[in-house]
Amino acid sequence: MSNPSPSPGGPGVPLAALLADPVLGLRQIAGPVDARLIGTVGTTEVENPGPYLLGGELLLTAGVRLPESPEGIDAYVRCVVEAGAAALGFGVAPVYEEVPPDLVAACERHALPLLRVPDGTPFVAVGRAAYSAMAEAAHRNLRQISEAQSALASAAARPDALRAVVQQLAVHLGGWTALLDGRGAELFSAGPRPPAPVPAELRALAARTTTRAAGRAQPPTAAAQHHAGRHLTVRTLPGSDGPGGPLALVTAAQEPPTAVHRSVAGVAVVLLSLLTSPRHALGADARSSGALVRLLLGATPDEAAATLLPADGTWLVVHGRLTGRAGGGGEAVQLAALGTALGTPYLDLDGTRLRALLPGPAAPGRVVDAEPVTRLGWTLGVSAPVATAGLRTADAQADRALRHALGTGAAAVHHREAVGPSVHTLVDAEDATALARTRLAPLSAAGTPGPAVLRETLRTWLALHGSWDRTAAALQLHRNTVRQRIARVGELLELDLGDADVRMELWFALRWLPPAPD
């Protein structure tokens, strides 16, 4: 007989808990000893109680109308089992002095636990003990659900929110948990990984669950597959359609899921759906939409930015390069993770390259907390705070800072503006720009790869103190290519780039040279 489910009114109490209560004095004398649950306690003295049962009951009787023949007793037990009762309790007083042997044999034959209720134990006491245990179980379940919800909510607020939610879910479900993309690839997983072929079975179950069938408007939102000691579940994330289908949350556990597990998993599905939705990832709020409309209808960046910035606000521009292991999951998942870590919806993700705009108040020395993003595998370059009119300059600053970070192996580099008197403040801006253009003008005669590329190679090489390897790493080039470009620059400018004075003059010229127009 399968373990009956408790009644819908609340959690069941293990039969073993009632047997262990010394006040009741119950003793099992027939039937299987297992982990079945009691959903309610009922008393009956009718000849056929089956029509009055819902399933999961501990049925108590003193045998007032118990059939006398072995055949009648067998039929009585059979109808109780078919109605789904969890166990039968027989009181030895006042009708019988002991449990009838034919009843013991029938319960053993039909695998129905039979309890001996001793004289002096009222049936109402058995019910009271069961309902008290159920109330305690319900309170315990609510506490577990509340604790799990709090842990999941905290995980969702972390920079690595997706991975953190999956990890917390694995802890509270007590099994292996994974987030799969539409093609069945694991984006994040946590918990003890089950042996083969369980992961493959979960992927197959997820594929069947997320596939649209002919004549069915929507695929099911959940599916389960249970074998002895192996319980697999799949839950799809609403609103996460991507290549191959929606994302799926899968779990594998040795124990069947409880009501607590189902409730906690439901909370996790909601959080993951929010974190991976295009609206969350792209920040499609009213202000962003309004700014986009203004730009498309001809407004200037200054006019559009008025809807996005505080009245005295400035921007930080961030450039990023993926240099570590990413969590995977496609653009929507990556955008969600990066947007959460940087605290901005204004992201441009192109494979392993990132550009972001961070609006905020005007504050001296304002910087980005790069650690949450670098933990996701990204190396960052961050500009100085600028007004909207200075975004082009900030974009160049962030790009140079990123190249410096890549060349030096730093996780993040912030562009720092000079504080106090400097060479830049001692030279007239117009004169400095004219000098820079004159000094670097011969580069305009360069063929492939072009003057702009040579200038950027020279700038990076000088910023990294003439290191070939660091420059190659920053520009993602072979070191010989860097050598060839720098040699070409020396030829065109007719300068000895090994001379420190020449390098210094070229560095200031590059700093004074205004950004090229688009």
Side-chain angles (χ1 to χ4, degrees):
M1 173 182 173
S2 61
N3 183 15
S5 300
S7 68
V13 57
L15 179 58
L18 297 179
L19 291 169
D21 190 334
V23 176
L24 299 178
L26 305 178
R27 180 164 58 90
Q28 184 171 346
I29 57 177
V33 177
D34 52 29
R36 69 185 58 207
L37 300 177
I38 302 299
T40 187
V41 177
T43 302
T44 182
E45 299 299 344
V46 298
E47 293 181 1
N48 181 13
Y52 307 99
L53 302 180
L54 296 174
E57 296 91 350
L58 169 57
L59 189 63
L60 302 176
T61 179
V64 174
R65 304 293 296 273
L66 185 70
E68 296 182 359
S69 67
E71 295 78 12
I73 290 178
D74 186 84
Y76 177 89
V77 172
R78 185 170 61 252
C79 84
V80 169
V81 170
E82 291 175 350
L88 180 66
F90 193 88
V92 297
V95 181
Y96 289 83
E97 294 181 358
E98 195 50 70
V99 181
D102 290 334
L103 181 60
V104 175
C107 288
E108 192 69 36
R109 188 162 48 249
H110 292 285
L112 178 67
L114 176 61
L115 278 55
R116 181 185 185 276
V117 184
D119 186 12
T121 298
F123 285 174
V124 69
V126 178
R128 182 180 298 169
Y131 295 131
S132 176
M134 291 175 194
E136 182 179 346
H139 179 71
R140 183 170 57 251
N141 288 353
L142 288 175
R143 185 174 65 251
Q144 291 174 353
I145 292 172
S146 176
E147 292 173 352
Q149 288 176 341
S150 177
L152 289 170
S154 297
R158 287 177 46 173
D160 54 343
L162 297 173
R163 179 181 288 107
V165 169
V166 172
Q167 289 174 340
Q168 282 298 320
L169 184 61
V171 169
H172 290 280
L173 296 187
W176 184 66
T177 304
L179 183 63
L180 307 183
D181 68 12
R183 297 187 178 93
E186 292 177 22
L187 306 179
F188 305 99
S189 64
R193 187 178 185 85
V198 174
E201 291 178 351
L202 273 170
R203 287 193 295 271
L205 182 60
R208 293 196 300 272
T209 304
T210 57
T211 300
R212 294 180 183 270
R216 188 172 64 188
Q218 294 289 340
T221 59
Q225 184 174 299
H226 302 293
H227 303 288
R230 192 167 67 201
H231 301 273
L232 313 181
T233 58
V234 171
R235 297 173 177 85
T236 60
L237 271 57
S240 63
D241 283 350
L247 302 179
L249 182 66
V250 301
T251 58
Q254 295 181 343
E255 299 296 330
T258 65
V260 172
H261 292 159
R262 288 189 287 271
S263 177
V264 172
V267 173
V269 166
V270 172
L271 290 174
L272 291 171
S273 298
L274 293 173
L275 290 170
T276 57
S277 68
R279 185 174 184 85
H280 173 87
L282 301 176
D285 55 36
R287 291 187 305 159
S288 302
S289 300
L292 178 60
V293 169
R294 292 188 183 190
L295 284 173
L296 291 176
L297 295 180
T300 66
D302 277 330
E303 293 169 335
T307 66
L308 305 175
L309 278 175
D312 62 342
T314 57
W315 298 95
L316 290 177
V317 178
V318 177
H319 281 210
R321 184 84 56 80
L322 184 61
T323 53
R325 182 179 180 275
E331 186 171 295
V333 175
Q334 289 294 319
L335 282 171
L338 289 167
T340 302
L342 285 170
T344 179
Y346 309 122
L347 305 169
D348 176 24
L349 183 62
D350 182 13
T352 60
R353 297 174 181 271
L354 166 72
R355 292 196 304 174
L357 289 174
L358 278 64
R366 180 176 161 223
V367 296
V368 172
D369 180 10
E371 195 268 340
V373 189
T374 57
R375 282 211 313 264
L376 296 175
W378 291 81
T379 298
L380 298 183
V382 185
S383 74
V386 297
T388 304
L391 282 174
R392 183 190 299 276
T393 299
D395 187 51
Q397 291 174 354
D399 182 62
R400 293 166 193 160
L402 174 61
R403 293 183 188 279
H404 188 74
L406 293 170
T408 60
V413 169
H414 285 74
H415 177 84
R416 303 291 183 182
E417 295 286 7
V419 178
S422 69
V423 173
H424 295 283
T425 63
L426 298 176
V427 179
D428 180 78
E430 292 185 4
D431 291 342
T433 299
L435 176 62
R437 285 174 171 158
T438 301
R439 173 61 67 194
L440 298 172
L443 295 182
S444 61
T448 305
V453 173
L454 291 181
R455 283 195 300 269
E456 193 55 42
T457 303
L458 176 62
R459 187 195 307 275
T460 304
W461 182 70
L462 292 173
L464 296 173
H465 310 292
S467 170
W468 306 112
D469 290 331
R470 289 182 176 182
T471 304
L475 297 174
Q476 292 188 309
L477 299 171
H478 192 279
R479 68 195 308 272
N480 288 343
T481 303
V482 175
R483 285 182 176 274
Q484 292 167 3
R485 290 183 181 179
I486 296 301
R488 180 61 175 154
V489 169
E491 293 173 2
L492 291 170
L493 298 181
E494 299 181 352
L495 294 173
D496 178 10
L497 298 184
D499 188 314
D501 290 336
V502 170
R503 292 189 189 188
M504 180 182 66
E505 185 176 349
L506 289 176
W507 175 250
F508 283 115
L510 288 168
R511 292 288 302 274
W512 286 322
L513 193 68
D518 290 336

